[in-house]
Amino acid sequence: MDSEIKEEIPVHDEYILCGGAETQVLKCGPWTDLFHDQSASRPKLLILIIPGNPGLPTFYVPFAKSLYSAVNRRFPVWIIAHAGHVLAPKDKTLTTLDDPNAQEIKDIYGLRGQIEHKIAFLRTHVPKEMKLVVIGHSVGCYISLQILKHAPELPIIRFFLLFPTIERLSESPNGRIATPFLCWFRYVFNVFSYLLLKPCPEKIKSWLLRMSCQIMNLPDESLLQNSLEPFCLVNMAYLGSQEMMEIVQRDNETVKEHLSKLTFYYGTIDDWCPKEYYEDIKKDFPEGDIRLCEKKIPHAFVLHCYQEMADMVADWLKDDLSKIETVTEENQD
């Protein structure tokens, strides 16, 4: 029954031009244009998911659908891709919104560029009067904190930072393995991607996708959409290399300033941000809403534990949503 309900939930697949980069946005719920909908039923809040790396929104669709159901389908849940991680299909038309301040973002595929890319999206594609809840996952948490730092005027009422890679990334167990590959062998990987994958016959690409799905225990090949496109692979590796070099010190100043808006959720079996990182931030901010997973949910929760996480996030959001719904009902009266 649960899976049938999720199938009924509309998911609109849109490609926009943001900061000079084509960008996929998946919109869960019936609302696709929040600017021109002036009806009384227009939602007062948007939930935005900022992914980890790779920044493929398709990975997050089951989580988004579960969350949309868990908040009683009252508010849209959108997922934004990282710039350069998804290519628009040739038959897709890019949606553009006129913004007099819009300009191409320098180094948009790098870490700083991705932060500016998300800020540009929020400023251009979300009405100023709409409240926001931002859910960051992995490096999406670092990006979320930087949004707070560089665009504090945005009406974001809550941040949920799930399995947050916001400090000492290269020192983590997985970081120690990934850093040499991403920082030193990345150029070999780039050459391999273009020389071997680009001319690769579609049959072999399909076989590689099937094998990857089996190894990762993924139910659907569409979750790896564009993952064998050399352009996207190179951008994912480039972002990863910058993560290892730049995500070093936790931004305590931003955390302290906005602590009341933040909920951190750390894993007990997470080799990207190990338990000691939770203990350290809990010690530094004992009054903060900083939680440790008790269910052995993995870092990549979106693959198999999305329902549990969606139910938890919806529960954490209850008070905030009830206030917004109360205001909405009063305005309608």
Side-chain angles (χ1 to χ4, degrees), residues 63 66-72 135 160 308-319 321:
F63 172 63
S66 298
L67 182 58
Y68 179 66
S69 294
V71 296
N72 300 319
I135 301 173
F160 295 102
E308 288 175 277
M309 282 306 313
D311 290 341
M312 274 192 278
V313 172
D315 188 55
W316 300 338
L317 259 177
K318 268 182 186 173
D319 290 343
L321 297 187

PDB file of all heavy atoms in Angstrom, residues 63 66-72 135 160 308-319 321:
ATOM      1  N   PHE A  63      13.262   9.315  -0.895  1.00  0.00           N
ATOM      2  CA  PHE A  63      13.278  10.082   0.356  1.00  0.00           C
ATOM      3  C   PHE A  63      12.330  11.267   0.258  1.00  0.00           C
ATOM      4  O   PHE A  63      11.546  11.535   1.183  1.00  0.00           O
ATOM      5  CB  PHE A  63      14.706  10.545   0.646  1.00  0.00           C
ATOM      6  CG  PHE A  63      14.829  11.502   1.809  1.00  0.00           C
ATOM      7  CD1 PHE A  63      14.495  11.113   3.096  1.00  0.00           C
ATOM      8  CD2 PHE A  63      15.299  12.799   1.617  1.00  0.00           C
ATOM      9  CE1 PHE A  63      14.607  12.000   4.175  1.00  0.00           C
ATOM     10  CE2 PHE A  63      15.418  13.683   2.678  1.00  0.00           C
ATOM     11  CZ  PHE A  63      15.068  13.279   3.961  1.00  0.00           C
ATOM     12  N   SER A  66       8.719  10.107   0.391  1.00  0.00           N
ATOM     13  CA  SER A  66       8.366   9.688   1.755  1.00  0.00           C
ATOM     14  C   SER A  66       8.171  10.899   2.654  1.00  0.00           C
ATOM     15  O   SER A  66       7.245  10.942   3.474  1.00  0.00           O
ATOM     16  CB  SER A  66       9.464   8.777   2.325  1.00  0.00           C
ATOM     17  OG  SER A  66       9.603   7.607   1.558  1.00  0.00           O
ATOM     18  N   LEU A  67       9.041  11.892   2.507  1.00  0.00           N
ATOM     19  CA  LEU A  67       8.933  13.111   3.323  1.00  0.00           C
ATOM     20  C   LEU A  67       7.676  13.893   2.955  1.00  0.00           C
ATOM     21  O   LEU A  67       6.967  14.391   3.833  1.00  0.00           O
ATOM     22  CB  LEU A  67      10.186  13.970   3.136  1.00  0.00           C
ATOM     23  CG  LEU A  67      10.255  15.264   3.948  1.00  0.00           C
ATOM     24  CD1 LEU A  67      10.149  14.976   5.444  1.00  0.00           C
ATOM     25  CD2 LEU A  67      11.556  16.013   3.646  1.00  0.00           C
ATOM     26  N   TYR A  68       7.401  13.986   1.668  1.00  0.00           N
ATOM     27  CA  TYR A  68       6.194  14.687   1.203  1.00  0.00           C
ATOM     28  C   TYR A  68       4.938  14.050   1.803  1.00  0.00           C
ATOM     29  O   TYR A  68       4.022  14.746   2.253  1.00  0.00           O
ATOM     30  CB  TYR A  68       6.153  14.650  -0.320  1.00  0.00           C
ATOM     31  CG  TYR A  68       4.948  15.317  -0.937  1.00  0.00           C
ATOM     32  CD1 TYR A  68       4.756  16.692  -0.835  1.00  0.00           C
ATOM     33  CD2 TYR A  68       3.999  14.568  -1.635  1.00  0.00           C
ATOM     34  CE1 TYR A  68       3.662  17.312  -1.412  1.00  0.00           C
ATOM     35  CE2 TYR A  68       2.897  15.174  -2.210  1.00  0.00           C
ATOM     36  CZ  TYR A  68       2.725  16.539  -2.097  1.00  0.00           C
ATOM     37  OH  TYR A  68       1.631  17.151  -2.651  1.00  0.00           O
ATOM     38  N   SER A  69       4.899  12.720   1.824  1.00  0.00           N
ATOM     39  CA  SER A  69       3.769  12.014   2.441  1.00  0.00           C
ATOM     40  C   SER A  69       3.729  12.257   3.949  1.00  0.00           C
ATOM     41  O   SER A  69       2.659  12.457   4.531  1.00  0.00           O
ATOM     42  CB  SER A  69       3.869  10.508   2.172  1.00  0.00           C
ATOM     43  OG  SER A  69       3.713  10.230   0.804  1.00  0.00           O
ATOM     44  N   ALA A  70       4.914  12.270   4.571  1.00  0.00           N
ATOM     45  CA  ALA A  70       4.991  12.410   6.033  1.00  0.00           C
ATOM     46  C   ALA A  70       4.554  13.792   6.513  1.00  0.00           C
ATOM     47  O   ALA A  70       4.157  13.946   7.664  1.00  0.00           O
ATOM     48  CB  ALA A  70       6.410  12.106   6.514  1.00  0.00           C
ATOM     49  N   VAL A  71       4.638  14.804   5.636  1.00  0.00           N
ATOM     50  CA  VAL A  71       4.147  16.146   6.010  1.00  0.00           C
ATOM     51  C   VAL A  71       2.747  16.367   5.427  1.00  0.00           C
ATOM     52  O   VAL A  71       2.324  17.508   5.210  1.00  0.00           O
ATOM     53  CB  VAL A  71       5.121  17.274   5.573  1.00  0.00           C
ATOM     54  CG1 VAL A  71       6.442  17.138   6.296  1.00  0.00           C
ATOM     55  CG2 VAL A  71       5.331  17.296   4.055  1.00  0.00           C
ATOM     56  N   ASN A  72       2.060  15.250   5.193  1.00  0.00           N
ATOM     57  CA  ASN A  72       0.648  15.258   4.749  1.00  0.00           C
ATOM     58  C   ASN A  72       0.426  15.989   3.429  1.00  0.00           C
ATOM     59  O   ASN A  72      -0.630  16.587   3.211  1.00  0.00           O
ATOM     60  CB  ASN A  72      -0.251  15.866   5.843  1.00  0.00           C
ATOM     61  CG  ASN A  72      -0.179  15.076   7.136  1.00  0.00           C
ATOM     62  OD1 ASN A  72      -0.161  13.844   7.118  1.00  0.00           O
ATOM     63  ND2 ASN A  72      -0.115  15.776   8.258  1.00  0.00           N
ATOM     64  N   ILE A 135      17.355  20.787   3.747  1.00  0.00           N
ATOM     65  CA  ILE A 135      17.901  19.508   4.207  1.00  0.00           C
ATOM     66  C   ILE A 135      19.194  19.249   3.439  1.00  0.00           C
ATOM     67  O   ILE A 135      19.175  19.094   2.214  1.00  0.00           O
ATOM     68  CB  ILE A 135      16.910  18.355   3.973  1.00  0.00           C
ATOM     69  CG1 ILE A 135      15.606  18.616   4.713  1.00  0.00           C
ATOM     70  CG2 ILE A 135      17.525  17.025   4.404  1.00  0.00           C
ATOM     71  CD1 ILE A 135      14.502  17.616   4.401  1.00  0.00           C
ATOM     72  N   PHE A 160      18.334  20.959   8.407  1.00  0.00           N
ATOM     73  CA  PHE A 160      18.594  19.609   8.888  1.00  0.00           C
ATOM     74  C   PHE A 160      19.848  19.104   8.180  1.00  0.00           C
ATOM     75  O   PHE A 160      19.871  18.974   6.948  1.00  0.00           O
ATOM     76  CB  PHE A 160      17.400  18.689   8.604  1.00  0.00           C
ATOM     77  CG  PHE A 160      16.174  19.095   9.360  1.00  0.00           C
ATOM     78  CD1 PHE A 160      15.153  19.789   8.727  1.00  0.00           C
ATOM     79  CD2 PHE A 160      16.041  18.816  10.709  1.00  0.00           C
ATOM     80  CE1 PHE A 160      14.026  20.193   9.423  1.00  0.00           C
ATOM     81  CE2 PHE A 160      14.920  19.214  11.422  1.00  0.00           C
ATOM     82  CZ  PHE A 160      13.912  19.904  10.774  1.00  0.00           C
ATOM     83  N   GLU A 308      12.794   5.714   7.034  1.00  0.00           N
ATOM     84  CA  GLU A 308      13.106   6.020   8.438  1.00  0.00           C
ATOM     85  C   GLU A 308      13.544   7.469   8.599  1.00  0.00           C
ATOM     86  O   GLU A 308      13.112   8.177   9.515  1.00  0.00           O
ATOM     87  CB  GLU A 308      14.202   5.089   8.957  1.00  0.00           C
ATOM     88  CG  GLU A 308      13.759   3.662   9.186  1.00  0.00           C
ATOM     89  CD  GLU A 308      14.933   2.779   9.577  1.00  0.00           C
ATOM     90  OE1 GLU A 308      15.651   2.314   8.673  1.00  0.00           O
ATOM     91  OE2 GLU A 308      15.127   2.560  10.785  1.00  0.00           O
ATOM     92  N   MET A 309      14.419   7.925   7.688  1.00  0.00           N
ATOM     93  CA  MET A 309      14.918   9.299   7.789  1.00  0.00           C
ATOM     94  C   MET A 309      13.794  10.303   7.514  1.00  0.00           C
ATOM     95  O   MET A 309      13.696  11.336   8.191  1.00  0.00           O
ATOM     96  CB  MET A 309      16.066   9.535   6.808  1.00  0.00           C
ATOM     97  CG  MET A 309      17.414   8.987   7.227  1.00  0.00           C
ATOM     98  SD  MET A 309      17.991   9.512   8.871  1.00  0.00           S
ATOM     99  CE  MET A 309      17.693  11.266   8.861  1.00  0.00           C
ATOM    100  N   ALA A 310      12.932  10.004   6.553  1.00  0.00           N
ATOM    101  CA  ALA A 310      11.829  10.913   6.236  1.00  0.00           C
ATOM    102  C   ALA A 310      10.885  11.051   7.432  1.00  0.00           C
ATOM    103  O   ALA A 310      10.449  12.159   7.762  1.00  0.00           O
ATOM    104  CB  ALA A 310      11.069  10.402   5.010  1.00  0.00           C
ATOM    105  N   ASP A 311      10.595   9.941   8.083  1.00  0.00           N
ATOM    106  CA  ASP A 311       9.707   9.984   9.252  1.00  0.00           C
ATOM    107  C   ASP A 311      10.329  10.797  10.380  1.00  0.00           C
ATOM    108  O   ASP A 311       9.642  11.557  11.070  1.00  0.00           O
ATOM    109  CB  ASP A 311       9.402   8.559   9.736  1.00  0.00           C
ATOM    110  CG  ASP A 311       8.499   7.796   8.774  1.00  0.00           C
ATOM    111  OD1 ASP A 311       7.831   8.450   7.949  1.00  0.00           O
ATOM    112  OD2 ASP A 311       8.482   6.545   8.831  1.00  0.00           O
ATOM    113  N   MET A 312      11.650  10.643  10.578  1.00  0.00           N
ATOM    114  CA  MET A 312      12.339  11.396  11.625  1.00  0.00           C
ATOM    115  C   MET A 312      12.322  12.895  11.337  1.00  0.00           C
ATOM    116  O   MET A 312      11.999  13.708  12.204  1.00  0.00           O
ATOM    117  CB  MET A 312      13.788  10.912  11.774  1.00  0.00           C
ATOM    118  CG  MET A 312      13.950   9.726  12.696  1.00  0.00           C
ATOM    119  SD  MET A 312      15.681   9.415  13.102  1.00  0.00           S
ATOM    120  CE  MET A 312      16.212   8.504  11.668  1.00  0.00           C
ATOM    121  N   VAL A 313      12.670  13.262  10.093  1.00  0.00           N
ATOM    122  CA  VAL A 313      12.704  14.686   9.726  1.00  0.00           C
ATOM    123  C   VAL A 313      11.315  15.302   9.869  1.00  0.00           C
ATOM    124  O   VAL A 313      11.166  16.417  10.385  1.00  0.00           O
ATOM    125  CB  VAL A 313      13.244  14.866   8.291  1.00  0.00           C
ATOM    126  CG1 VAL A 313      13.085  16.315   7.833  1.00  0.00           C
ATOM    127  CG2 VAL A 313      14.720  14.461   8.217  1.00  0.00           C
ATOM    128  N   ALA A 314      10.285  14.586   9.429  1.00  0.00           N
ATOM    129  CA  ALA A 314       8.916  15.094   9.548  1.00  0.00           C
ATOM    130  C   ALA A 314       8.538  15.307  11.019  1.00  0.00           C
ATOM    131  O   ALA A 314       7.875  16.290  11.367  1.00  0.00           O
ATOM    132  CB  ALA A 314       7.947  14.130   8.880  1.00  0.00           C
ATOM    133  N   ASP A 315       8.989  14.399  11.870  1.00  0.00           N
ATOM    134  CA  ASP A 315       8.705  14.525  13.300  1.00  0.00           C
ATOM    135  C   ASP A 315       9.415  15.747  13.888  1.00  0.00           C
ATOM    136  O   ASP A 315       8.827  16.499  14.671  1.00  0.00           O
ATOM    137  CB  ASP A 315       9.151  13.246  14.022  1.00  0.00           C
ATOM    138  CG  ASP A 315       8.706  13.230  15.479  1.00  0.00           C
ATOM    139  OD1 ASP A 315       7.495  13.381  15.727  1.00  0.00           O
ATOM    140  OD2 ASP A 315       9.566  13.088  16.364  1.00  0.00           O
ATOM    141  N   TRP A 316      10.674  15.967  13.479  1.00  0.00           N
ATOM    142  CA  TRP A 316      11.422  17.135  13.953  1.00  0.00           C
ATOM    143  C   TRP A 316      10.767  18.438  13.489  1.00  0.00           C
ATOM    144  O   TRP A 316      10.883  19.478  14.127  1.00  0.00           O
ATOM    145  CB  TRP A 316      12.861  17.100  13.453  1.00  0.00           C
ATOM    146  CG  TRP A 316      13.642  15.901  13.894  1.00  0.00           C
ATOM    147  CD1 TRP A 316      13.396  15.101  14.969  1.00  0.00           C
ATOM    148  CD2 TRP A 316      14.797  15.345  13.256  1.00  0.00           C
ATOM    149  NE1 TRP A 316      14.323  14.087  15.037  1.00  0.00           N
ATOM    150  CE2 TRP A 316      15.201  14.209  14.003  1.00  0.00           C
ATOM    151  CE3 TRP A 316      15.539  15.692  12.134  1.00  0.00           C
ATOM    152  CZ2 TRP A 316      16.304  13.429  13.669  1.00  0.00           C
ATOM    153  CZ3 TRP A 316      16.643  14.914  11.780  1.00  0.00           C
ATOM    154  CH2 TRP A 316      17.015  13.795  12.541  1.00  0.00           C
ATOM    155  N   LEU A 317      10.083  18.369  12.340  1.00  0.00           N
ATOM    156  CA  LEU A 317       9.499  19.565  11.729  1.00  0.00           C
ATOM    157  C   LEU A 317       8.114  19.911  12.269  1.00  0.00           C
ATOM    158  O   LEU A 317       7.586  20.976  11.939  1.00  0.00           O
ATOM    159  CB  LEU A 317       9.384  19.356  10.207  1.00  0.00           C
ATOM    160  CG  LEU A 317      10.439  19.994   9.304  1.00  0.00           C
ATOM    161  CD1 LEU A 317      10.187  19.618   7.861  1.00  0.00           C
ATOM    162  CD2 LEU A 317      10.454  21.509   9.460  1.00  0.00           C
ATOM    163  N   LYS A 318       7.538  19.028  13.048  1.00  0.00           N
ATOM    164  CA  LYS A 318       6.131  19.170  13.453  1.00  0.00           C
ATOM    165  C   LYS A 318       5.790  20.567  13.972  1.00  0.00           C
ATOM    166  O   LYS A 318       4.832  21.205  13.533  1.00  0.00           O
ATOM    167  CB  LYS A 318       5.786  18.138  14.528  1.00  0.00           C
ATOM    168  CG  LYS A 318       5.228  16.853  13.970  1.00  0.00           C
ATOM    169  CD  LYS A 318       4.875  15.904  15.108  1.00  0.00           C
ATOM    170  CE  LYS A 318       4.445  14.549  14.560  1.00  0.00           C
ATOM    171  NZ  LYS A 318       4.262  13.563  15.665  1.00  0.00           N
ATOM    172  N   ASP A 319       6.565  21.062  14.933  1.00  0.00           N
ATOM    173  CA  ASP A 319       6.249  22.350  15.558  1.00  0.00           C
ATOM    174  C   ASP A 319       6.318  23.495  14.552  1.00  0.00           C
ATOM    175  O   ASP A 319       5.453  24.375  14.530  1.00  0.00           O
ATOM    176  CB  ASP A 319       7.193  22.629  16.733  1.00  0.00           C
ATOM    177  CG  ASP A 319       6.923  21.703  17.915  1.00  0.00           C
ATOM    178  OD1 ASP A 319       5.827  21.102  17.947  1.00  0.00           O
ATOM    179  OD2 ASP A 319       7.807  21.569  18.778  1.00  0.00           O
ATOM    180  N   LEU A 321       5.967  23.379  11.269  1.00  0.00           N
ATOM    181  CA  LEU A 321       4.901  23.284  10.280  1.00  0.00           C
ATOM    182  C   LEU A 321       3.552  23.650  10.880  1.00  0.00           C
ATOM    183  O   LEU A 321       2.714  24.271  10.209  1.00  0.00           O
ATOM    184  CB  LEU A 321       4.849  21.866   9.689  1.00  0.00           C
ATOM    185  CG  LEU A 321       6.098  21.412   8.918  1.00  0.00           C
ATOM    186  CD1 LEU A 321       5.851  20.063   8.252  1.00  0.00           C
ATOM    187  CD2 LEU A 321       6.513  22.441   7.872  1.00  0.00           C
TER     188      LEU A 321
END
